[in-house]
Amino acid sequence: MSEAIPVRVMVQDAWDEVDLSVPGGTRIGELKRRALTMTHVTRDPEGYMMKFRGAELTDEGRSLTEAGIMSNAALIVMPRRRRPLR
């Protein structure tokens, strides 16, 4: 089992930040789903992307360690498509 990594995940739709401590082997897609669930976002997780340092983490099957996510990293979950203003 890999060592726990503390991370902060901002979920744009909820405008809320979640602090988590997860094993380094946690998949990016799983972290995204957990953050969406914790902020009560009920839309399909496939409609969201995870970003780190401004770049999309495209392979959500990679682990945090494989993606180079280090302790106390700040990530953001945001919609894949822009929503029109009303």
Side-chain angles (χ1 to χ4, degrees):
M1 185 115 191
S2 55
E3 187 176 325
I5 299 173
V7 294
R8 292 185 331 265
V9 183
M10 171 62 127
V11 179
Q12 188 182 41
D13 273 8
W15 205 250
D16 198 3
E17 189 172 87
V18 177
D19 292 317
L20 296 164
S21 185
V22 295
T26 302
R27 303 285 172 216
I28 294 166
E30 175 60 25
L31 180 63
K32 177 178 76 173
R33 283 185 287 283
R34 285 171 90 179
L36 288 168
T37 299
M38 291 178 75
T39 57
H40 308 289
V41 174
T42 58
R43 293 186 184 94
D44 182 10
E46 293 302 314
Y48 292 86
M49 66 176 137
M50 175 85 74
K51 285 189 164 188
F52 175 59
R53 293 184 173 168
E56 181 180 359
L57 299 171
T58 56
D59 185 358
E60 293 186 0
R62 293 177 70 190
S63 71
L64 296 176
T65 303
E66 291 170 339
I69 308 297
M70 71 290 283
S71 184
N72 297 313
L75 300 115
I76 186 168
V77 176
M78 55 194 307
R80 288 193 182 279
R81 299 177 194 263
R82 290 183 170 182
R83 294 198 176 102
L85 294 174
R86 296 179 195 224

